[in-house]
Amino acid sequence: MKAPKEALDKAIPKAYTPADVEKRIYDMWMKENCFSPRKTSTGKTFSIVMPPPNVTGNLHLGHAMVMSVQDSLIRHHRMLGDETVWVPGTDHAGIATQLVVENHLRQQGKSRKDFTREGFLVKTWEWVETYKKNITDQLKSLGASADWSRERFTFDPEFNAVVNKVFVDLYNKGLIYKDDYIVNWCSETQTVLSDLEVVATPEESKLYYIRYFVKAADKSVIVATTRPETLLGDVAVAVHPSDKRYKEFIDKTLILPIMNREIRVIADERVDMEFGTGAVKITPGHDPLDYEIGRDHNLQVISVIGKDGKMNKNAGKYAGLEVEQARKNIIEYLDNIGNLEDIEDTVSNVKRCDRTKAIVEPLVSKQWFVKATALAPEVMKAVEAGKTDFIPDRFRKEFSNWMEGMRDWCISRQLWWGHRIPAYYKGNEMIVSENHPTEEGWLQDEDVLDTWFSSALWPFVVFGWPDKTEDMKKFFPTTVLETGRDILFFWVSRMMMMSMALTGEVPFYHVYLDGLVRDEKNQKMSKSKGNGMDPAELQNAYGTDATRLMLLLGTTPGNDLVVSRQKAESYRNFVNKLWNASRFIRMQGEETMPYRELEAYLEKNYAKLNIAQKWILSRFAHVSQAVTEGYATYRMGESGTVLYEATWNEFCDWYIEISKIEVNEHTQAVLQYGMMTLLKLWHPMAPFVTEEIWATYDQEELIINSSWPTIPAKFINDEIEEDFRILIEVVRGIRNVRHERSVAPGKLIPVHFVADVKKDLLVQFEEVLKKLAKLSTMEIHKGRPIIGRKVALIVYPFEIYLPLDDMIDVEAEKARLTKWIAEKEKERRIIQSKLDNKGFIANAPDDVKAAQEKKKQEVEAVLTTMKQQLADIE
RNA sequence: GGGCGCUUAGCUCAGUUGGCUAGAGCAUCUCGUUUACACCGAGGGGGUCGGGGGUUCGAAUCCCUCAGCGCCCACCA
């Protein structure tokens, strides 16, 4: 029943071309509704909420990695038979989106100010709609098997309603409040930022030493500052209470230069005696620490810098100047009046806006806050109790540390794009309400909420919370949250806080954190560096499956991943290998059987299978277990590596090659079963190519809907695996000798085996050995054959002699044997020393001891033979 | 200033609770037009697991220490 080879040859192209199949397959999955949860037999559920990408963002490789990991988990669990759901969506990304839209407007010569708030929002929604399509299309191109019927947007109207409700609830519970506080102000975006959105970087700057005189005395204190312009807002000078230098000054009154204001010297332990002069000027209006010290000492707050980044009316004659200019003028003036003592070069931490890189000015302002300090303890309790764990575990500690030291979370933003704060004002009255008050005269708060406020609700809002929906019951808490480690604090912590506060439960049982994606030079990829590799480009060049494999294999959770075109290429090659392996199989015969029937058939006929067939089935059983285990423990990188090796180095290199030599009535069944098993095991990671190949096997269902392999226990056969390993080594050994002796590739040579045990193995495998090792004749002896000059090698328990009379170089042979013996002797010594060690005998587990014992026997047998051989040759 | 991570073959990395003669891919060298695949096949070379010390019968794996690199947090003006 040989297949019409030429026909198939034409039908199945020699190389896999991803571009031809990916879109078609994805559309088919959509059409067949493959991504919705299905009620199944296991009774288990598996749910993931997709970290919503910024709606205006472009998908980069970091996203691609996160999505690939999630998709493979989802596909795996779907195949396991769990009721599986992956909820997709996008984030309205307040500040980022607003900046993008403003940029577009700028290119058209317009600015936000040319629009009314409503007009600007209309414009923004237009942009968002086009961007959203763009990003979801990219997600789909990656193969994301998310349930698109559930797609959400963090700023859709329903979401907005929930946000309002949550805000009101938390406000009523005192967990949201409005207060004056020193906040981070970005003068470029004209909004406050949370602590997390501010990055401090060391920058060169000057340290100015300024003298403040004591009132009505001939004494003075010198303070050091990097920001002399804030002097105008000074309300005190602080020293450490135990600083002997300043003991006499405490509670004395100083005259603030320029302003000639009377300020007091106070003592506070937060002052660092080592820094500068040990005396620090206190400006509660423009420094977080000063603000706290000021608060504790009941000091006044004087703001001298306005939200526009200019000196304000409190700055006297400097009012209206840019900060930089004011600084210059002030220093000049202080120098003139003799109060400037010194200027020193220094490096200080400058805080900049994470997004715009503009300098962030600390200033006091009335803002809305979430009382994170009250929410954090519940989260920490849950984490300590192990309700949520972290993969890898080290992030648990990092998370807890951060939670512990957290300050309240500033949630108001002076932006237009975002959930507007549901607070309303009339005169001095304020109400917080889900809906706009019906009476006349109430004006809504102008500010919007930090984007992360709504993202924090994502894991339950997408399931219909606050309603008690079926979905909530079934899918919440979600099984695992996977995301980049860079948003552990931004997002993960806030979801935890909100979830504990609102639902009383953790939002997810596992948090899986990815590392960062880096380029070949080990640099973090980013748009600003211009080294970002575009996933779409890689997908086009090498295929989506190859791109995914690159991101999934050889990685460990939490560790950064270096990507390169070279890597993508090698996975493209692998995908092609898979394709061709199947191509070969399909060229052998057109008949196929449903997977399960095939499995049952092989089980029934197991006894009649040959050794190679039993071997590969056993290997599949073990590999399948290892792959499954990898998924279960969130070590998919390992699953992939194991599979890769099994596919290429075992199935393709050995089994397929042997199947060409040793054909029996079960060959087709084993080949097809093996191939289909591989396809199933690969499907979660390489969905497109596996679905495409699967289709050639004429199965009753799509691979995406098929079940995860559970190889019959009957197929496990450790003894056969061991025997087969020996046969592989025999072949390798002979090939090695041939190569070393430059035996012409096609030349057949005779071989003699000495086999005192396991002779059957050689007999059974004779045909295959002859073909694989290019042997003319094969004789199997007991005891030692006498066949003249020969090359000897030993693959325990066999001795192998190749009578290459015309090619034997006696000296070379002696050298080879001597070297080999030396190596074996060394090995024997190591083993012997272990066995002689009474500690080893007493403490090592039995299987370790038995293995050493066995190895010793083997080594000794080998040594005896080789020494004989060496003597012979001489 | 605190906290964390990394250092294994030329490059990129695996290595689960200590039990190997330390693995893979890419690169490199030799050979090969065997009808699945040159996006291939066969064979080889290459590592005292960053240095030092310790625990142990046994350490790439656990502890201490030093060095280099990287990340996170923080109110040194």
Side-chain angles (χ1 to χ4, degrees), chain A residues 272 556 566-567 573 580 583-584 635 648 837:
Chain A
D272 180 358
T556 329
Q566 193 193 59
K567 265 192 190 177
N573 294 352
N580 271 291
R583 178 165 175 269
F584 168 76
R635 290 201 306 260
W648 203 314
N837 189 325

mmCIF file of all heavy atoms in Angstrom, chain A residues 272 556 566-567 573 580 583-584 635 648 837, chain B residues 12 14 16 26 36-37 39 41 57 76-77:
data_model
loop_
_atom_site.group_PDB
_atom_site.id
_atom_site.type_symbol
_atom_site.label_atom_id
_atom_site.label_comp_id
_atom_site.label_asym_id
_atom_site.label_seq_id
_atom_site.Cartn_x
_atom_site.Cartn_y
_atom_site.Cartn_z
ATOM 1 N N ASP A 272 20.327 64.636 58.777
ATOM 2 C CA ASP A 272 21.562 63.864 58.671
ATOM 3 C C ASP A 272 22.743 64.783 59.032
ATOM 4 O O ASP A 272 23.038 65.738 58.324
ATOM 5 C CB ASP A 272 21.700 63.352 57.226
ATOM 6 C CG ASP A 272 22.970 62.533 57.048
ATOM 7 O OD1 ASP A 272 23.741 62.410 58.019
ATOM 8 O OD2 ASP A 272 23.180 62.013 55.934
ATOM 9 N N THR A 556 13.346 31.105 31.732
ATOM 10 C CA THR A 556 12.898 30.810 33.085
ATOM 11 C C THR A 556 12.087 32.003 33.554
ATOM 12 O O THR A 556 12.452 33.131 33.263
ATOM 13 C CB THR A 556 14.104 30.646 34.021
ATOM 14 O OG1 THR A 556 15.189 30.133 33.273
ATOM 15 C CG2 THR A 556 13.786 29.742 35.164
ATOM 16 N N GLN A 566 18.794 35.549 14.786
ATOM 17 C CA GLN A 566 19.403 34.226 14.668
ATOM 18 C C GLN A 566 18.578 33.174 15.405
ATOM 19 O O GLN A 566 18.385 32.058 14.933
ATOM 20 C CB GLN A 566 20.804 34.314 15.249
ATOM 21 C CG GLN A 566 21.678 33.153 14.929
ATOM 22 C CD GLN A 566 22.922 33.188 15.795
ATOM 23 O OE1 GLN A 566 22.828 33.170 17.026
ATOM 24 N NE2 GLN A 566 24.081 33.257 15.183
ATOM 25 N N LYS A 567 18.106 33.577 16.594
ATOM 26 C CA LYS A 567 17.279 32.646 17.361
ATOM 27 C C LYS A 567 15.981 32.346 16.628
ATOM 28 O O LYS A 567 15.565 31.192 16.526
ATOM 29 C CB LYS A 567 16.939 33.258 18.727
ATOM 30 C CG LYS A 567 17.870 32.836 19.826
ATOM 31 C CD LYS A 567 17.310 33.237 21.180
ATOM 32 C CE LYS A 567 18.379 33.022 22.245
ATOM 33 N NZ LYS A 567 17.919 33.462 23.570
ATOM 34 N N ASN A 573 13.606 27.025 11.515
ATOM 35 C CA ASN A 573 14.119 25.748 11.025
ATOM 36 C C ASN A 573 13.451 24.577 11.728
ATOM 37 O O ASN A 573 13.150 23.551 11.126
ATOM 38 C CB ASN A 573 15.627 25.657 11.230
ATOM 39 C CG ASN A 573 16.375 26.665 10.389
ATOM 40 O OD1 ASN A 573 15.775 27.336 9.548
ATOM 41 N ND2 ASN A 573 17.663 26.786 10.627
ATOM 42 N N ASN A 580 8.346 18.804 7.794
ATOM 43 C CA ASN A 580 8.874 17.792 6.893
ATOM 44 C C ASN A 580 8.795 16.384 7.450
ATOM 45 O O ASN A 580 8.668 15.423 6.702
ATOM 46 C CB ASN A 580 10.302 18.136 6.497
ATOM 47 C CG ASN A 580 10.323 19.015 5.275
ATOM 48 O OD1 ASN A 580 9.993 18.561 4.192
ATOM 49 N ND2 ASN A 580 10.635 20.279 5.473
ATOM 50 N N ARG A 583 5.498 15.515 6.572
ATOM 51 C CA ARG A 583 5.425 15.363 5.119
ATOM 52 C C ARG A 583 5.883 13.961 4.724
ATOM 53 O O ARG A 583 5.246 13.281 3.928
ATOM 54 C CB ARG A 583 6.309 16.426 4.465
ATOM 55 C CG ARG A 583 6.368 16.377 2.975
ATOM 56 C CD ARG A 583 6.950 17.660 2.425
ATOM 57 N NE ARG A 583 7.122 17.553 0.996
ATOM 58 C CZ ARG A 583 8.240 17.128 0.405
ATOM 59 N NH1 ARG A 583 9.280 16.801 1.158
ATOM 60 N NH2 ARG A 583 8.323 17.034 -0.886
ATOM 61 N N PHE A 584 6.984 13.539 5.343
ATOM 62 C CA PHE A 584 7.477 12.197 5.070
ATOM 63 C C PHE A 584 6.422 11.148 5.428
ATOM 64 O O PHE A 584 6.136 10.232 4.667
ATOM 65 C CB PHE A 584 8.762 11.941 5.858
ATOM 66 C CG PHE A 584 9.169 10.490 5.846
ATOM 67 C CD1 PHE A 584 9.753 9.941 4.725
ATOM 68 C CD2 PHE A 584 8.937 9.687 6.953
ATOM 69 C CE1 PHE A 584 10.105 8.598 4.706
ATOM 70 C CE2 PHE A 584 9.284 8.356 6.939
ATOM 71 C CZ PHE A 584 9.868 7.805 5.818
ATOM 72 N N ARG A 635 6.833 25.833 34.382
ATOM 73 C CA ARG A 635 8.170 25.864 33.775
ATOM 74 C C ARG A 635 8.044 25.413 32.331
ATOM 75 O O ARG A 635 8.519 24.349 31.941
ATOM 76 C CB ARG A 635 9.117 24.950 34.549
ATOM 77 C CG ARG A 635 9.469 25.490 35.940
ATOM 78 C CD ARG A 635 10.748 24.862 36.452
ATOM 79 N NE ARG A 635 10.660 23.416 36.404
ATOM 80 C CZ ARG A 635 10.395 22.642 37.445
ATOM 81 N NH1 ARG A 635 10.211 23.158 38.619
ATOM 82 N NH2 ARG A 635 10.336 21.338 37.314
ATOM 83 N N TRP A 648 13.269 16.294 17.562
ATOM 84 C CA TRP A 648 14.348 16.286 16.578
ATOM 85 C C TRP A 648 15.305 15.106 16.779
ATOM 86 O O TRP A 648 15.582 14.335 15.870
ATOM 87 C CB TRP A 648 15.115 17.621 16.653
ATOM 88 C CG TRP A 648 15.852 17.969 15.402
ATOM 89 C CD1 TRP A 648 16.636 17.127 14.664
ATOM 90 C CD2 TRP A 648 15.872 19.232 14.734
ATOM 91 N NE1 TRP A 648 17.147 17.796 13.587
ATOM 92 C CE2 TRP A 648 16.698 19.084 13.599
ATOM 93 C CE3 TRP A 648 15.293 20.472 14.977
ATOM 94 C CZ2 TRP A 648 16.951 20.147 12.713
ATOM 95 C CZ3 TRP A 648 15.550 21.520 14.098
ATOM 96 C CH2 TRP A 648 16.358 21.355 12.969
ATOM 97 N N ASN A 837 34.453 4.669 50.439
ATOM 98 C CA ASN A 837 34.149 5.668 51.444
ATOM 99 C C ASN A 837 33.008 5.172 52.331
ATOM 100 O O ASN A 837 31.883 5.000 51.884
ATOM 101 C CB ASN A 837 33.743 6.946 50.718
ATOM 102 C CG ASN A 837 33.604 8.110 51.654
ATOM 103 O OD1 ASN A 837 33.175 7.926 52.796
ATOM 104 N ND2 ASN A 837 33.946 9.284 51.181
ATOM 105 P P U B 12 26.379 36.452 25.606
ATOM 106 O OP1 U B 12 25.981 37.854 25.841
ATOM 107 O OP2 U B 12 27.160 35.709 26.616
ATOM 108 O "O5'" U B 12 25.067 35.600 25.278
ATOM 109 C "C5'" U B 12 24.011 36.199 24.535
ATOM 110 C "C4'" U B 12 22.850 35.237 24.459
ATOM 111 O "O4'" U B 12 23.270 34.042 23.756
ATOM 112 C "C3'" U B 12 22.347 34.706 25.793
ATOM 113 O "O3'" U B 12 21.497 35.629 26.434
ATOM 114 C "C2'" U B 12 21.607 33.453 25.357
ATOM 115 O "O2'" U B 12 20.365 33.751 24.793
ATOM 116 C "C1'" U B 12 22.536 32.927 24.249
ATOM 117 N N1 U B 12 23.480 31.918 24.771
ATOM 118 C C2 U B 12 23.039 30.608 24.825
ATOM 119 O O2 U B 12 21.929 30.275 24.455
ATOM 120 N N3 U B 12 23.943 29.707 25.326
ATOM 121 C C4 U B 12 25.220 29.985 25.775
ATOM 122 O O4 U B 12 25.917 29.065 26.198
ATOM 123 C C5 U B 12 25.603 31.366 25.687
ATOM 124 C C6 U B 12 24.739 32.264 25.208
ATOM 125 P P A B 14 18.440 30.855 31.977
ATOM 126 O OP1 A B 14 17.325 31.620 32.526
ATOM 127 O OP2 A B 14 19.693 30.748 32.734
ATOM 128 O "O5'" A B 14 17.904 29.399 31.650
ATOM 129 C "C5'" A B 14 18.677 28.299 31.972
ATOM 130 C "C4'" A B 14 17.977 27.066 31.547
ATOM 131 O "O4'" A B 14 18.742 26.465 30.470
ATOM 132 C "C3'" A B 14 17.916 26.006 32.643
ATOM 133 O "O3'" A B 14 16.738 26.116 33.388
ATOM 134 C "C2'" A B 14 18.008 24.704 31.856
ATOM 135 O "O2'" A B 14 16.771 24.356 31.290
ATOM 136 C "C1'" A B 14 18.979 25.098 30.761
ATOM 137 N N9 A B 14 20.385 24.969 31.181
ATOM 138 C C8 A B 14 21.301 25.978 31.388
ATOM 139 N N7 A B 14 22.482 25.547 31.746
ATOM 140 C C5 A B 14 22.348 24.170 31.780
ATOM 141 C C6 A B 14 23.248 23.135 32.077
ATOM 142 N N6 A B 14 24.507 23.349 32.419
ATOM 143 N N1 A B 14 22.787 21.868 32.016
ATOM 144 C C2 A B 14 21.505 21.664 31.673
ATOM 145 N N3 A B 14 20.564 22.551 31.361
ATOM 146 C C4 A B 14 21.056 23.802 31.435
ATOM 147 P P U B 16 18.130 22.708 39.259
ATOM 148 O OP1 U B 16 17.688 24.101 39.207
ATOM 149 O OP2 U B 16 19.449 22.375 39.820
ATOM 150 O "O5'" U B 16 17.022 21.866 40.042
ATOM 151 C "C5'" U B 16 16.610 22.324 41.292
ATOM 152 C "C4'" U B 16 15.092 22.294 41.431
ATOM 153 O "O4'" U B 16 14.463 22.157 40.138
ATOM 154 C "C3'" U B 16 14.569 21.123 42.277
ATOM 155 O "O3'" U B 16 14.313 21.575 43.617
ATOM 156 C "C2'" U B 16 13.263 20.747 41.622
ATOM 157 O "O2'" U B 16 12.179 21.487 42.133
ATOM 158 C "C1'" U B 16 13.485 21.151 40.175
ATOM 159 N N1 U B 16 13.946 20.027 39.343
ATOM 160 C C2 U B 16 12.991 19.391 38.591
ATOM 161 O O2 U B 16 11.830 19.703 38.608
ATOM 162 N N3 U B 16 13.464 18.368 37.814
ATOM 163 C C4 U B 16 14.754 17.922 37.728
ATOM 164 O O4 U B 16 15.028 16.994 36.980
ATOM 165 C C5 U B 16 15.687 18.635 38.550
ATOM 166 C C6 U B 16 15.258 19.637 39.320
ATOM 167 P P C B 26 21.288 24.521 16.037
ATOM 168 O OP1 C B 26 20.493 24.414 14.795
ATOM 169 O OP2 C B 26 22.260 23.462 16.388
ATOM 170 O "O5'" C B 26 22.046 25.918 16.053
ATOM 171 C "C5'" C B 26 21.363 27.107 15.651
ATOM 172 C "C4'" C B 26 22.207 28.315 15.970
ATOM 173 O "O4'" C B 26 22.465 28.359 17.398
ATOM 174 C "C3'" C B 26 23.605 28.321 15.362
ATOM 175 O "O3'" C B 26 23.594 28.737 14.015
ATOM 176 C "C2'" C B 26 24.308 29.328 16.259
ATOM 177 O "O2'" C B 26 23.946 30.648 15.943
ATOM 178 C "C1'" C B 26 23.732 28.959 17.631
ATOM 179 N N1 C B 26 24.613 27.994 18.322
ATOM 180 C C2 C B 26 25.754 28.500 18.967
ATOM 181 O O2 C B 26 25.954 29.723 18.942
ATOM 182 N N3 C B 26 26.586 27.648 19.602
ATOM 183 C C4 C B 26 26.326 26.347 19.598
ATOM 184 N N4 C B 26 27.187 25.544 20.233
ATOM 185 C C5 C B 26 25.175 25.801 18.945
ATOM 186 C C6 C B 26 24.353 26.656 18.325
ATOM 187 P P A B 36 12.840 10.316 1.647
ATOM 188 O OP1 A B 36 13.882 9.852 2.566
ATOM 189 O OP2 A B 36 11.932 9.339 1.005
ATOM 190 O "O5'" A B 36 11.930 11.386 2.388
ATOM 191 C "C5'" A B 36 10.904 12.074 1.701
ATOM 192 C "C4'" A B 36 10.630 13.389 2.399
ATOM 193 O "O4'" A B 36 10.294 13.119 3.781
ATOM 194 C "C3'" A B 36 11.831 14.331 2.465
ATOM 195 O "O3'" A B 36 11.891 15.121 1.284
ATOM 196 C "C2'" A B 36 11.490 15.169 3.697
ATOM 197 O "O2'" A B 36 10.519 16.129 3.381
ATOM 198 C "C1'" A B 36 10.852 14.121 4.618
ATOM 199 N N9 A B 36 11.813 13.475 5.523
ATOM 200 C C8 A B 36 12.591 12.383 5.282
ATOM 201 N N7 A B 36 13.331 12.019 6.307
ATOM 202 C C5 A B 36 13.003 12.941 7.291
ATOM 203 C C6 A B 36 13.434 13.106 8.612
ATOM 204 N N6 A B 36 14.332 12.313 9.202
ATOM 205 N N1 A B 36 12.917 14.135 9.314
ATOM 206 C C2 A B 36 12.019 14.927 8.721
ATOM 207 N N3 A B 36 11.524 14.868 7.476
ATOM 208 C C4 A B 36 12.060 13.848 6.819
ATOM 209 P P C B 37 13.294 15.688 0.761
ATOM 210 O OP1 C B 37 13.026 16.310 -0.553
ATOM 211 O OP2 C B 37 14.319 14.641 0.900
ATOM 212 O "O5'" C B 37 13.628 16.837 1.814
ATOM 213 C "C5'" C B 37 12.854 18.043 1.828
ATOM 214 C "C4'" C B 37 13.165 18.803 3.093
ATOM 215 O "O4'" C B 37 12.906 17.952 4.233
ATOM 216 C "C3'" C B 37 14.626 19.195 3.268
ATOM 217 O "O3'" C B 37 14.885 20.414 2.603
ATOM 218 C "C2'" C B 37 14.732 19.365 4.783
ATOM 219 O "O2'" C B 37 14.235 20.624 5.194
ATOM 220 C "C1'" C B 37 13.792 18.275 5.288
ATOM 221 N N1 C B 37 14.509 17.060 5.698
ATOM 222 C C2 C B 37 14.832 16.923 7.059
ATOM 223 O O2 C B 37 14.489 17.819 7.841
ATOM 224 N N3 C B 37 15.493 15.820 7.477
ATOM 225 C C4 C B 37 15.840 14.877 6.588
ATOM 226 N N4 C B 37 16.492 13.811 7.051
ATOM 227 C C5 C B 37 15.517 14.996 5.207
ATOM 228 C C6 C B 37 14.860 16.093 4.803
ATOM 229 P P C B 39 18.632 25.932 3.133
ATOM 230 O OP1 C B 39 17.567 25.757 2.185
ATOM 231 O OP2 C B 39 19.440 27.168 3.169
ATOM 232 O "O5'" C B 39 18.069 25.627 4.616
ATOM 233 C "C5'" C B 39 18.702 26.139 5.840
ATOM 234 C "C4'" C B 39 17.808 25.686 6.957
ATOM 235 O "O4'" C B 39 16.648 26.545 6.943
ATOM 236 C "C3'" C B 39 17.342 24.255 6.693
ATOM 237 O "O3'" C B 39 17.966 23.250 7.480
ATOM 238 C "C2'" C B 39 15.791 24.321 6.571
ATOM 239 O "O2'" C B 39 15.167 23.462 7.471
ATOM 240 C "C1'" C B 39 15.471 25.786 6.865
ATOM 241 N N1 C B 39 14.589 26.407 5.883
ATOM 242 C C2 C B 39 13.300 26.769 6.286
ATOM 243 O O2 C B 39 12.949 26.494 7.437
ATOM 244 N N3 C B 39 12.486 27.383 5.408
ATOM 245 C C4 C B 39 12.910 27.658 4.170
ATOM 246 N N4 C B 39 12.096 28.275 3.349
ATOM 247 C C5 C B 39 14.207 27.300 3.737
ATOM 248 C C6 C B 39 15.008 26.684 4.611
ATOM 249 P P G B 41 19.049 17.549 10.532
ATOM 250 O OP1 G B 41 18.131 17.014 11.549
ATOM 251 O OP2 G B 41 19.953 18.658 10.858
ATOM 252 O "O5'" G B 41 19.939 16.369 9.956
ATOM 253 C "C5'" G B 41 19.319 15.190 9.498
ATOM 254 C "C4'" G B 41 20.343 14.256 8.935
ATOM 255 O "O4'" G B 41 20.941 14.856 7.759
ATOM 256 C "C3'" G B 41 21.539 13.978 9.827
ATOM 257 O "O3'" G B 41 21.237 13.030 10.828
ATOM 258 C "C2'" G B 41 22.539 13.453 8.806
ATOM 259 O "O2'" G B 41 22.200 12.150 8.392
ATOM 260 C "C1'" G B 41 22.284 14.420 7.651
ATOM 261 N N9 G B 41 23.175 15.588 7.729
ATOM 262 C C8 G B 41 22.835 16.876 8.074
ATOM 263 N N7 G B 41 23.858 17.691 8.053
ATOM 264 C C5 G B 41 24.936 16.887 7.677
ATOM 265 C C6 G B 41 26.304 17.216 7.490
ATOM 266 O O6 G B 41 26.856 18.312 7.619
ATOM 267 N N1 G B 41 27.058 16.105 7.124
ATOM 268 C C2 G B 41 26.538 14.839 6.954
ATOM 269 N N2 G B 41 27.393 13.899 6.610
ATOM 270 N N3 G B 41 25.263 14.522 7.116
ATOM 271 C C4 G B 41 24.530 15.592 7.477
ATOM 272 P P C B 57 30.065 13.598 56.577
ATOM 273 O OP1 C B 57 29.359 12.514 57.295
ATOM 274 O OP2 C B 57 31.187 14.346 57.224
ATOM 275 O "O5'" C B 57 30.616 13.026 55.197
ATOM 276 C "C5'" C B 57 31.826 12.263 55.170
ATOM 277 C "C4'" C B 57 31.973 11.619 53.812
ATOM 278 O "O4'" C B 57 30.925 10.629 53.636
ATOM 279 C "C3'" C B 57 31.774 12.562 52.637
ATOM 280 O "O3'" C B 57 32.978 13.245 52.335
ATOM 281 C "C2'" C B 57 31.367 11.614 51.523
ATOM 282 O "O2'" C B 57 32.467 10.938 50.966
ATOM 283 C "C1'" C B 57 30.504 10.605 52.289
ATOM 284 N N1 C B 57 29.060 10.929 52.248
ATOM 285 C C2 C B 57 28.353 10.726 51.046
ATOM 286 O O2 C B 57 28.975 10.319 50.056
ATOM 287 N N3 C B 57 27.040 10.989 50.993
ATOM 288 C C4 C B 57 26.412 11.429 52.083
ATOM 289 N N4 C B 57 25.120 11.671 51.985
ATOM 290 C C5 C B 57 27.096 11.645 53.313
ATOM 291 C C6 C B 57 28.412 11.380 53.354
ATOM 292 P P C B 76 16.601 60.280 49.542
ATOM 293 O OP1 C B 76 15.934 59.560 48.451
ATOM 294 O OP2 C B 76 17.050 59.515 50.706
ATOM 295 O "O5'" C B 76 17.812 61.076 48.930
ATOM 296 C "C5'" C B 76 19.002 61.209 49.684
ATOM 297 C "C4'" C B 76 18.957 62.455 50.471
ATOM 298 O "O4'" C B 76 19.308 62.095 51.827
ATOM 299 C "C3'" C B 76 19.973 63.517 50.033
ATOM 300 O "O3'" C B 76 19.370 64.516 49.230
ATOM 301 C "C2'" C B 76 20.488 64.051 51.350
ATOM 302 O "O2'" C B 76 19.667 65.040 51.890
ATOM 303 C "C1'" C B 76 20.471 62.796 52.215
ATOM 304 N N1 C B 76 21.647 61.911 51.982
ATOM 305 C C2 C B 76 22.658 61.846 52.947
ATOM 306 O O2 C B 76 22.535 62.514 53.962
ATOM 307 N N3 C B 76 23.739 61.051 52.748
ATOM 308 C C4 C B 76 23.828 60.338 51.639
ATOM 309 N N4 C B 76 24.901 59.583 51.489
ATOM 310 C C5 C B 76 22.815 60.364 50.647
ATOM 311 C C6 C B 76 21.756 61.162 50.851
ATOM 312 P P A B 77 20.263 65.049 48.020
ATOM 313 O OP1 A B 77 19.800 64.420 46.820
ATOM 314 O OP2 A B 77 21.619 64.856 48.524
ATOM 315 O "O5'" A B 77 19.976 66.623 47.863
ATOM 316 C "C5'" A B 77 20.250 67.472 48.940
ATOM 317 C "C4'" A B 77 18.927 67.887 49.512
ATOM 318 O "O4'" A B 77 18.959 67.555 50.906
ATOM 319 C "C3'" A B 77 18.671 69.379 49.371
ATOM 320 O "O3'" A B 77 17.292 69.610 49.087
ATOM 321 C "C2'" A B 77 19.069 69.920 50.733
ATOM 322 O "O2'" A B 77 18.273 71.004 51.094
ATOM 323 C "C1'" A B 77 18.807 68.741 51.676
ATOM 324 N N9 A B 77 19.799 68.685 52.759
ATOM 325 C C8 A B 77 20.929 69.420 52.899
ATOM 326 N N7 A B 77 21.600 69.156 54.001
ATOM 327 C C5 A B 77 20.859 68.182 54.628
ATOM 328 C C6 A B 77 21.037 67.485 55.812
ATOM 329 N N6 A B 77 22.054 67.670 56.636
ATOM 330 N N1 A B 77 20.115 66.558 56.144
ATOM 331 C C2 A B 77 19.078 66.365 55.326
ATOM 332 N N3 A B 77 18.802 66.967 54.160
ATOM 333 C C4 A B 77 19.743 67.866 53.868
#
